[in-house]
Amino acid sequence: MTSVLRPPSSVVLGMLILGLCSAALRGQGVSEEKIGGGSHKWAVVVHGGAGVIERSSMTPEAEKEYRAGITEALNAAAAVLDKGGASLDAVEAAIKLLEDNPLFNAGRGAVFAADGTNQLDAAIMDGKTMEAGAVADVQKTRHPISLARAVMEKSPHVMLIGSGADAFAAHVGLEQVPPSFFFTERRWQALEKDLKKEGAPIPKRPEGAPQAPGQPMAFFETPESHKYGTVGVVALDRSGNVAAGTSTGGTTAKRWNRVGDSPVIGAGTYASNQSCAVSATGTGEYFIRLTVARTICALVQYKGMPLQAAVDDVVQKQLPAIHGDGGVIALTPDGQLAWSFNTPGMFRAKLAEGGKAQVGIYRDEP
C-alpha cells in the first residue's frame, strides 16, 4: 500500500486559520490582494451642500464659479494623495479651501444665526484608528476643520463647543480672526429676509463689517439653493486608510445655538477602515435621528451591501420615510465611490487615481 504524506497538524491548523481570516476580510468588502500587497489606489469625493439647486435658479456665471470651487478642493485633496499623503491630510486640505471660499456655507461663506453671529461646526474622523474630533458654535477660529483635527490629536476629548473651543484653538496656535472675517453681504441679506418674514428683530450689523450697500444685492441663485449648505470630503490613501470631514455654518436664522448633524460623529460624519467613510449634508435633525453616516457604514460592514446600494437605501428610502432630505458622499477602503441625494441638486465631485474627475451640480447629471 502506498503511503500518503500528510502535513503536520500545526500546518493544517495554520492553513485553516488563514482561510477563516481571508473569508472574514471578504465579508467586510476588503480585497485580500490590496490588504497584502499595499496596492491601493487613492480616491476622493467632495460635496459642497445640497438643496433646491436647479438650472433655472442659477446664472451661467454662478454655475461656473461653483464648479471651479468644487474642482479646486478636489484637486487639492488629489495633490496630497498623489504624493503619498494621508487621507486625513487630504480631507483637511480640501475643506480648508472650501471654508475660505465665500460661495459655500462654511467658514467665510457661513450663514448667520438669528443673533447676527456665524456659528461654525466641523468634524473629522480617521478610519484607521477611529479617532475623531468635532467642534460646534466656533466663532473666532478661521478653519473649524483644523480645530476639529486638533481636538482629535491634541486633546483627550472628541467634541468641544463655543468659547471653550475657540480658546483651545488659540491654545494650540490655530489662526484666530475677528467675527467680521466670516461676513458676506449676501448671507447677511438672507438673514434679514428670513427675520423680516418671521417678524423677528434684525440684529445690529457685525462690528467691522463693510458698510451696508444702498440697495439689496442681486443674488445669482435662490436662497433655497444652499438650504442645506455644508461642505465635506471623504478620502482613501494608498495605504488603504479612509477619512471623512465635514464643516458648516448651519442654517440661516437658527436660534439658541442650534447644532446639526455635521459635528455629530455617526450622524453627519463617520469613517472606519472596516466599512466606509461618509460625509453628509441635509436637514441635520433627521440625520441625527437616523445616525445616517454610521447606518450606511453598518449596512456595508454587517450586511455586505455594495456602497451605492447602502447610500441609496438610507438616503432614498429611510430618510424620506421620516421626512428628511439631503445627501451624502461616501467611499470604502476597497475603492468604491458613491453619492446619493434626494434634493434637486448637490454640489459634488469625485476622482480616483488614474481616472478622470467627475463634477456635478444637478440631479440629471451622472
Side-chain angles (χ1 to χ4, degrees), residues 327-353:
V328 304
I329 56 172
L331 54 67
T332 60
D334 66 356
Q336 299 176 62
L337 310 181
W339 55 47
S340 187
F341 52 98
N342 58 30
T343 53
M346 182 171 78
F347 300 104
R348 61 198 187 275
K350 62 183 177 182
L351 177 62
E353 183 174 2

Side-chain angles (χ1 to χ4, degrees), residues 28 30 35 40 84-89 91 124-133 149 152-153 235-245 270-278 297 301 331-333:
Q28 294 171 2
V30 180
I35 289 291
H40 291 270
S87 53
L88 271 175
D89 294 331
V91 166
I124 196 166
M125 188 165 182
D126 181 359
K128 179 181 179 181
T129 63
M130 293 187 68
E131 293 179 342
R149 185 169 182 179
M152 178 180 72
E153 297 179 338
L236 165 68
D237 60 33
R238 286 184 178 143
S239 295
N241 299 317
V242 299
Y270 192 79
S272 168
N273 282 2
Q274 299 304 310
S275 52
C276 60
V278 177
C297 292
Q301 182 175 359
L331 54 67
T332 60

